[in-house]
Amino acid sequence: MSDLFWLTKTGMHELAHLHFADADASYEDARYAVFGVPYDGTTSFRPGTRFGPRAIREVSFNFESYDPATKIDFSEVPITDLGDLAVSRLPEDLVGQVADVAGDIVRDNKVPVILGGEHTATVGAVRAVRPDVYIVCDAHLDLRDELDGTPYSHGCVTRRVLEAVEDVVVIGARSGDREQFEIAAERTHLYTADTVRERGIGAVLREVREHVEGRRIYLSIDADAIDCCLTPGLGTPEPFGMTPLDIREVVRALAPYAVGFDYVEVAPFDSGQTAAVAAQMVREFIARHWVAGR
Ligand code: MN
Ligand code: MN
Protein backbone atom coordinates (compact mmCIF):
# COMPACT_ATOMS: atom_id res chain seq x y z
CA MET A 1 0.00 0.00 0.00
CA SER A 2 1.03 3.60 -0.47
CA ASP A 3 0.66 3.91 3.27
CA LEU A 4 2.11 7.42 3.35
CA PHE A 5 -1.22 8.71 2.17
CA TRP A 6 -3.35 7.12 4.82
CA LEU A 7 -4.42 8.29 8.15
CA THR A 8 -3.56 5.60 10.63
CA LYS A 9 -6.20 2.96 10.99
CA THR A 10 -5.73 2.93 14.76
CA GLY A 11 -8.82 4.22 16.48
CA MET A 12 -10.70 4.46 13.21
CA HIS A 13 -13.65 2.55 14.55
CA GLU A 14 -14.21 5.16 17.25
CA LEU A 15 -14.37 7.81 14.53
CA ALA A 16 -17.50 7.16 12.55
CA HIS A 17 -16.65 9.74 9.93
CA LEU A 18 -13.54 7.78 9.01
CA HIS A 19 -15.25 4.44 8.70
CA PHE A 20 -18.08 3.23 6.50
CA ALA A 21 -20.56 1.04 8.40
CA ASP A 22 -19.69 -2.67 8.36
CA ALA A 23 -16.34 -2.00 6.64
CA ASP A 24 -14.66 -4.05 9.35
CA ALA A 25 -12.47 -6.47 7.39
CA SER A 26 -8.68 -6.28 7.42
CA TYR A 27 -7.10 -5.01 4.25
CA GLU A 28 -5.73 -8.49 3.56
CA ASP A 29 -9.14 -10.14 3.79
CA ALA A 30 -11.12 -7.41 2.06
CA ARG A 31 -12.69 -7.73 -1.38
CA TYR A 32 -13.82 -4.07 -1.34
CA ALA A 33 -11.54 -1.21 -0.32
CA VAL A 34 -13.38 2.02 0.42
CA PHE A 35 -11.51 5.30 0.59
CA GLY A 36 -12.47 8.96 0.73
CA VAL A 37 -11.13 11.82 -1.36
CA PRO A 38 -12.12 14.97 0.56
CA TYR A 39 -11.07 17.37 -2.18
CA ASP A 40 -12.87 20.34 -3.72
CA GLY A 41 -9.87 22.31 -4.98
CA THR A 42 -11.21 23.11 -8.45
CA THR A 43 -14.77 23.93 -7.42
CA SER A 44 -16.24 26.52 -9.76
CA PHE A 45 -19.53 27.31 -8.04
CA ARG A 46 -20.38 26.23 -4.50
CA PRO A 47 -17.60 24.62 -2.39
CA GLY A 48 -18.11 21.86 0.15
CA THR A 49 -17.68 18.49 -1.52
CA ARG A 50 -14.61 18.01 0.67
CA PHE A 51 -17.12 17.20 3.42
CA GLY A 52 -18.83 14.54 1.29
CA PRO A 53 -16.90 11.45 2.43
CA ARG A 54 -17.49 12.28 6.09
CA ALA A 55 -21.23 12.78 5.58
CA ILE A 56 -21.58 9.55 3.57
CA ARG A 57 -19.80 7.55 6.27
CA GLU A 58 -21.81 9.13 9.08
CA VAL A 59 -25.18 8.36 7.53
CA SER A 60 -24.06 4.82 6.61
CA PHE A 61 -24.59 3.95 10.29
CA ASN A 62 -28.27 4.84 9.91
CA PHE A 63 -28.94 1.76 7.80
CA GLU A 64 -29.49 -1.86 8.77
CA SER A 65 -26.63 -4.25 8.02
CA TYR A 66 -29.12 -6.54 6.30
CA ASP A 67 -30.08 -5.91 2.70
CA PRO A 68 -33.43 -7.61 2.08
CA ALA A 69 -33.23 -7.27 -1.72
CA THR A 70 -30.06 -9.41 -2.04
CA LYS A 71 -30.45 -11.20 1.32
CA ILE A 72 -26.87 -10.38 2.24
CA ASP A 73 -25.71 -8.93 5.54
CA PHE A 74 -22.97 -6.37 5.04
CA SER A 75 -21.28 -7.54 8.24
CA GLU A 76 -20.56 -10.81 6.37
CA VAL A 77 -19.07 -9.12 3.30
CA PRO A 78 -15.31 -8.44 3.42
CA ILE A 79 -15.17 -4.65 3.19
CA THR A 80 -12.41 -2.42 4.50
CA ASP A 81 -12.30 1.36 4.82
CA LEU A 82 -8.85 2.85 4.36
CA GLY A 83 -9.90 6.30 5.53
CA ASP A 84 -9.38 9.53 3.67
CA LEU A 85 -6.59 10.45 1.34
CA ALA A 86 -4.47 13.30 2.73
CA VAL A 87 -5.18 15.27 -0.39
CA SER A 88 -2.71 17.44 -2.29
CA ARG A 89 -3.71 20.96 -3.23
CA LEU A 90 -3.02 20.73 -6.94
CA PRO A 91 -5.54 18.72 -8.96
CA GLU A 92 -2.83 17.02 -11.07
CA ASP A 93 -1.17 15.80 -7.85
CA LEU A 94 -4.53 14.66 -6.50
CA VAL A 95 -5.14 12.62 -9.64
CA GLY A 96 -1.72 10.98 -9.16
CA GLN A 97 -2.48 10.16 -5.53
CA VAL A 98 -5.78 8.52 -6.39
CA ALA A 99 -4.13 6.58 -9.23
CA ASP A 100 -1.44 5.28 -6.85
CA VAL A 101 -3.88 4.11 -4.23
CA ALA A 102 -6.48 2.70 -6.63
CA GLY A 103 -3.65 0.98 -8.51
CA ASP A 104 -2.46 -0.74 -5.32
CA ILE A 105 -6.00 -1.86 -4.54
CA VAL A 106 -6.54 -3.31 -8.01
CA ARG A 107 -3.15 -5.05 -8.00
CA ASP A 108 -4.14 -6.63 -4.68
CA ASN A 109 -7.20 -8.02 -6.46
CA LYS A 110 -9.72 -5.82 -4.67
CA VAL A 111 -12.37 -3.43 -5.91
CA PRO A 112 -11.81 0.27 -5.17
CA VAL A 113 -14.89 2.13 -3.88
CA ILE A 114 -14.30 5.88 -3.73
CA LEU A 115 -16.26 8.47 -1.75
CA GLY A 116 -16.03 12.05 -3.07
CA GLY A 117 -15.15 14.82 -3.05
CA GLU A 118 -15.13 16.40 -6.44
CA HIS A 119 -15.23 14.43 -9.65
CA THR A 120 -11.52 15.00 -10.39
CA ALA A 121 -10.65 11.91 -8.31
CA THR A 122 -12.25 9.70 -10.95
CA VAL A 123 -9.52 10.53 -13.48
CA GLY A 124 -6.90 8.94 -11.23
CA ALA A 125 -9.05 5.90 -10.52
CA VAL A 126 -9.72 5.26 -14.21
CA ARG A 127 -6.02 5.56 -15.05
CA ALA A 128 -5.28 2.90 -12.42
CA VAL A 129 -8.15 0.56 -13.19
CA ARG A 130 -7.95 0.76 -17.01
CA PRO A 131 -11.50 -0.46 -17.68
CA ASP A 132 -12.81 -1.44 -21.12
CA VAL A 133 -15.80 0.86 -20.69
CA TYR A 134 -16.31 3.96 -18.56
CA ILE A 135 -19.90 4.62 -17.53
CA VAL A 136 -20.84 7.86 -15.81
CA CYS A 137 -24.09 9.34 -14.53
CA ASP A 138 -23.71 13.12 -14.45
CA ALA A 139 -25.79 16.24 -15.10
CA HIS A 140 -22.72 17.66 -16.82
CA LEU A 141 -20.78 16.39 -19.79
CA ASP A 142 -17.46 17.28 -18.10
CA LEU A 143 -15.92 17.41 -21.59
CA ARG A 144 -14.07 20.72 -21.34
CA ASP A 145 -10.43 20.50 -22.28
CA GLU A 146 -9.61 23.04 -19.58
CA LEU A 147 -11.46 25.03 -16.94
CA ASP A 148 -10.09 27.84 -14.77
CA GLY A 149 -6.59 27.16 -16.08
CA THR A 150 -6.40 23.44 -15.33
CA PRO A 151 -7.09 20.35 -17.45
CA TYR A 152 -7.83 18.51 -14.19
CA SER A 153 -10.87 20.55 -13.20
CA HIS A 154 -14.07 18.76 -12.20
CA GLY A 155 -15.42 20.11 -15.51
CA CYS A 156 -12.84 18.16 -17.55
CA VAL A 157 -13.24 14.67 -16.08
CA THR A 158 -14.88 12.87 -18.98
CA ARG A 159 -12.49 14.58 -21.43
CA ARG A 160 -9.47 13.24 -19.50
CA VAL A 161 -11.07 9.81 -19.20
CA LEU A 162 -11.44 9.70 -23.01
CA GLU A 163 -7.64 9.87 -23.23
CA ALA A 164 -7.40 6.56 -21.35
CA VAL A 165 -10.64 4.76 -22.29
CA GLU A 166 -12.14 4.76 -25.77
CA ASP A 167 -15.56 3.50 -24.83
CA VAL A 168 -17.53 6.00 -22.73
CA VAL A 169 -21.22 5.94 -21.81
CA VAL A 170 -22.81 9.07 -20.31
CA ILE A 171 -26.22 8.85 -18.64
CA GLY A 172 -28.34 11.71 -17.31
CA ALA A 173 -26.51 14.68 -18.85
CA ARG A 174 -28.31 17.96 -19.40
CA SER A 175 -25.59 20.60 -19.19
CA GLY A 176 -22.61 21.53 -21.34
CA ASP A 177 -21.70 23.98 -24.08
CA ARG A 178 -22.24 23.32 -27.80
CA GLU A 179 -18.69 22.05 -28.31
CA GLN A 180 -19.08 19.53 -25.50
CA PHE A 181 -22.34 18.21 -26.92
CA GLU A 182 -20.63 17.82 -30.30
CA ILE A 183 -17.79 15.86 -28.72
CA ALA A 184 -20.30 13.77 -26.78
CA ALA A 185 -22.22 12.94 -29.96
CA GLU A 186 -19.05 11.92 -31.75
CA ARG A 187 -17.08 10.11 -29.06
CA THR A 188 -19.48 8.87 -26.39
CA HIS A 189 -22.72 6.95 -26.06
CA LEU A 190 -24.88 9.72 -24.65
CA TYR A 191 -28.22 9.17 -22.91
CA THR A 192 -29.40 12.60 -21.81
CA ALA A 193 -31.70 13.11 -18.84
CA ASP A 194 -34.50 13.73 -21.36
CA THR A 195 -33.73 10.41 -23.08
CA VAL A 196 -33.87 8.60 -19.75
CA ARG A 197 -37.23 10.21 -19.04
CA GLU A 198 -38.64 9.48 -22.50
CA ARG A 199 -37.42 5.89 -22.86
CA GLY A 200 -37.30 4.91 -19.21
CA ILE A 201 -34.18 3.83 -17.33
CA GLY A 202 -35.02 0.15 -17.87
CA ALA A 203 -34.87 0.45 -21.66
CA VAL A 204 -31.67 2.50 -21.50
CA LEU A 205 -30.01 -0.05 -19.23
CA ARG A 206 -31.01 -3.00 -21.39
CA GLU A 207 -29.12 -1.32 -24.23
CA VAL A 208 -26.13 -0.40 -22.07
CA ARG A 209 -25.95 -3.90 -20.64
CA GLU A 210 -25.87 -5.43 -24.11
CA HIS A 211 -23.10 -3.01 -24.97
CA VAL A 212 -20.91 -3.90 -21.99
CA GLU A 213 -21.62 -7.63 -21.74
CA GLY A 214 -18.42 -9.52 -20.94
CA ARG A 215 -16.31 -6.40 -20.53
CA ARG A 216 -14.81 -4.63 -17.51
CA ILE A 217 -16.45 -1.35 -16.63
CA TYR A 218 -15.71 1.52 -14.28
CA LEU A 219 -18.88 3.09 -12.86
CA SER A 220 -18.85 6.69 -11.69
CA ILE A 221 -21.86 8.44 -10.18
CA ASP A 222 -21.74 12.23 -9.95
CA ALA A 223 -24.37 13.08 -7.33
CA ASP A 224 -25.73 15.89 -9.51
CA ALA A 225 -27.01 13.36 -12.05
CA ILE A 226 -29.98 13.27 -9.69
CA ASP A 227 -32.42 16.18 -9.92
CA CYS A 228 -31.32 18.88 -7.44
CA CYS A 229 -34.92 19.18 -6.28
CA LEU A 230 -34.57 15.65 -4.86
CA THR A 231 -30.97 15.71 -3.54
CA PRO A 232 -29.91 19.35 -3.15
CA GLY A 233 -26.52 18.80 -1.47
CA LEU A 234 -24.58 19.66 -4.61
CA GLY A 235 -21.83 22.02 -5.71
CA THR A 236 -23.35 22.52 -9.16
CA PRO A 237 -27.09 21.82 -8.86
CA GLU A 238 -29.18 21.10 -11.97
CA PRO A 239 -32.93 20.43 -12.00
CA PHE A 240 -34.80 18.11 -14.42
CA GLY A 241 -32.53 15.19 -13.75
CA MET A 242 -32.63 11.51 -12.87
CA THR A 243 -34.27 10.17 -9.72
CA PRO A 244 -32.58 8.25 -6.88
CA LEU A 245 -34.50 5.17 -8.11
CA ASP A 246 -33.05 5.62 -11.62
CA ILE A 247 -29.56 5.69 -10.13
CA ARG A 248 -30.32 2.60 -8.08
CA GLU A 249 -31.36 0.82 -11.27
CA VAL A 250 -28.07 1.83 -12.89
CA VAL A 251 -26.05 0.52 -9.96
CA ARG A 252 -28.06 -2.71 -9.74
CA ALA A 253 -27.70 -3.39 -13.45
CA LEU A 254 -24.04 -2.51 -13.89
CA ALA A 255 -22.31 -3.36 -10.60
CA PRO A 256 -21.77 -6.99 -11.68
CA TYR A 257 -19.52 -5.82 -14.53
CA ALA A 258 -17.60 -3.22 -12.53
CA VAL A 259 -13.96 -3.28 -11.50
CA GLY A 260 -14.19 0.09 -9.78
CA PHE A 261 -16.85 2.45 -8.43
CA ASP A 262 -17.15 5.97 -7.14
CA TYR A 263 -19.88 8.22 -5.80
CA VAL A 264 -18.67 11.81 -5.97
CA GLU A 265 -19.70 15.47 -5.71
CA VAL A 266 -21.67 15.19 -2.47
CA ALA A 267 -21.73 18.66 -0.82
CA PRO A 268 -23.68 17.79 2.31
CA PHE A 269 -25.34 21.10 3.13
CA ASP A 270 -28.90 19.86 2.68
CA SER A 271 -31.00 17.90 5.17
CA GLY A 272 -28.95 14.78 4.57
CA GLN A 273 -30.73 13.46 1.47
CA THR A 274 -27.72 13.58 -0.83
CA ALA A 275 -25.37 11.72 1.51
CA ALA A 276 -28.09 9.20 2.40
CA VAL A 277 -28.61 8.31 -1.26
CA ALA A 278 -24.82 8.14 -1.73
CA ALA A 279 -24.36 5.76 1.20
CA GLN A 280 -27.17 3.53 -0.02
CA MET A 281 -25.70 3.45 -3.52
CA VAL A 282 -22.31 2.41 -2.12
CA ARG A 283 -24.09 -0.42 -0.28
CA GLU A 284 -26.10 -1.28 -3.38
CA PHE A 285 -22.92 -1.43 -5.46
CA ILE A 286 -21.16 -3.73 -3.02
CA ALA A 287 -24.21 -5.96 -2.54
CA ARG A 288 -24.87 -6.43 -6.26
CA HIS A 289 -21.21 -6.94 -7.09
CA TRP A 290 -20.75 -9.44 -4.26
CA VAL A 291 -23.86 -11.46 -5.10
CA ALA A 292 -22.92 -11.56 -8.79
CA GLY A 293 -19.41 -12.80 -7.99
CA ARG A 294 -20.42 -15.57 -5.63
MN1 MN B 1 -19.02 15.51 -12.94
MN1 MN C 1 -21.87 17.11 -12.48
Side-chain angles (χ1 to χ4, degrees):
M1 283 302 295
S2 337
D3 47 357
L4 282 176
F5 293 131
W6 302 114
L7 293 169
T8 170
K9 229 181 137 126
T10 314
M12 188 178 287
H13 295 233
E14 284 79 54
L15 298 168
H17 68 275
L18 286 178
H19 167 228
F20 197 86
D22 297 307
D24 297 323
S26 67
Y27 180 75
E28 289 68 32
D29 294 340
R31 176 80 178 107
Y32 304 94
V34 177
F35 67 100
V37 185
Y39 181 77
D40 58 7
T42 78
T43 298
S44 52
F45 190 58
R46 200 160 61 194
T49 59
R50 75 179 68 179
F51 301 108
R54 170 188 295 232
I56 296 167
R57 289 190 178 100
E58 272 174 5
V59 75
S60 70
F61 286 87
N62 174 53
F63 303 120
E64 292 281 355
S65 291
Y66 186 66
D67 176 47
T70 57
K71 299 186 171 61
I72 68 153
D73 196 292
F74 287 98
S75 63
E76 295 159 5
V77 180
I79 310 165
T80 196
D81 188 334
L82 300 168
D84 279 344
L85 210 57
V87 295
S88 298
R89 279 179 69 85
L90 293 174
E92 57 269 35
D93 294 344
L94 185 273
V95 165
Q97 284 183 297
V98 174
D100 281 349
V101 173
D104 285 346
I105 292 168
V106 170
R107 266 189 299 280
D108 291 336
N109 200 27
K110 305 174 196 307
V111 179
V113 175
I114 300 172
L115 315 176
E118 67 172 49
H119 213 161
T120 305
T122 303
V123 178
V126 167
R127 285 183 182 173
V129 169
R130 302 215 151 269
D132 301 317
V133 188
Y134 172 74
I135 301 181
V136 60
C137 295
D138 198 329
H140 308 93
L141 291 175
D142 288 354
L143 282 168
R144 286 181 200 279
D145 197 31
E146 196 184 278
L147 183 61
D148 296 331
T150 173
Y152 290 104
S153 161
H154 66 95
C156 307
V157 173
T158 306
R159 184 71 172 259
R160 295 287 84 76
V161 166
L162 272 170
E163 292 165 357
V165 184
E166 273 180 25
D167 201 335
V168 169
V169 178
V170 180
I171 304 172
R174 53 200 184 275
S175 172
D177 59 14
R178 181 177 289 126
E179 190 197 343
Q180 290 182 68
F181 273 95
E182 284 166 7
I183 296 169
E186 213 171 287
R187 299 182 59 189
T188 76
H189 303 270
L190 172 62
Y191 299 91
T192 64
D194 281 349
T195 302
V196 172
R197 184 169 169 80
E198 282 155 21
R199 296 181 52 189
I201 192 65
V204 167
L205 286 170
R206 273 191 292 281
E207 205 170 285
V208 172
R209 202 147 44 169
E210 257 170 54
H211 178 70
V212 302
E213 192 67 59
R215 296 194 292 161
R216 303 160 67 251
I217 73 166
Y218 184 94
L219 180 58
S220 177
I221 310 289
D222 180 326
D224 64 35
I226 297 174
D227 194 303
C228 68
C229 306
L230 300 170
T231 54
L234 303 167
T236 43
E238 291 276 350
F240 314 119
M242 298 171 74
T243 69
L245 283 168
D246 288 337
I247 296 293
R248 191 174 73 169
E249 290 307 304
V250 171
V251 173
R252 283 185 172 178
L254 300 178
Y257 308 93
V259 287
F261 176 74
D262 64 59
Y263 202 104
V264 296
E265 295 283 346
V266 173
F269 303 121
D270 54 1
S271 302
Q273 308 93 305
T274 311
V277 171
Q280 281 288 29
M281 290 308 102
V282 167
R283 287 158 47 97
E284 195 75 42
F285 173 79
I286 291 171
R288 298 291 164 161
H289 189 278
W290 179 248
V291 167
R294 266 192 326 207

